[in-house]
Amino acid sequence: AFFTERLGAEHEATLGTWGSLASCMAAMGDAEGAMREEEAVLVAMTRTLGPTHESTLLARMNLAASYSNAGDHDQVQGVPGG
């Protein structure tokens, strides 16, 4: 809420924090929730920062890794920009 209130919902720092939250969710065992959040982060970063921005690429990599860790290798191939 801090970043969202002060910087806006689609500021790079806010989106990065959102991505970190998704990583924490995955580490705590909520893989499905983490992937849902990572998908939303990737969409927002692609829209606001562009598809080749380093933060967008990191978000894409995190989502692909989550799919791979879940054994969903078909989804890895379908990650936008991948």
Side-chain angles (χ1 to χ4, degrees):
F2 177 84
F3 286 118
T4 302
E5 291 172 3
R6 287 169 178 73
L7 302 174
E10 295 198 340
H11 186 278
E12 183 177 357
T14 305
L15 295 173
T17 301
W18 188 10
S20 294
L21 174 63
S23 295
C24 290
M25 291 171 69
M28 292 176 58
D30 184 6
E32 187 176 313
M35 286 185 281
R36 218 177 15 255
E37 296 301 318
E38 288 169 339
E39 289 167 354
V41 168
L42 179 57
V43 168
M45 284 189 170
T46 301
R47 180 178 56 250
T48 60
L49 302 175
T52 60
H53 189 279
E54 64 186 52
S55 294
T56 305
L57 297 173
L58 179 61
R60 184 176 298 125
M61 181 197 70
N62 288 340
L63 178 56
S66 290
Y67 284 146
S68 180
N69 290 338
D72 195 348
H73 303 291
D74 291 336
Q75 283 288 78
V76 173
Q77 295 297 322
V79 172

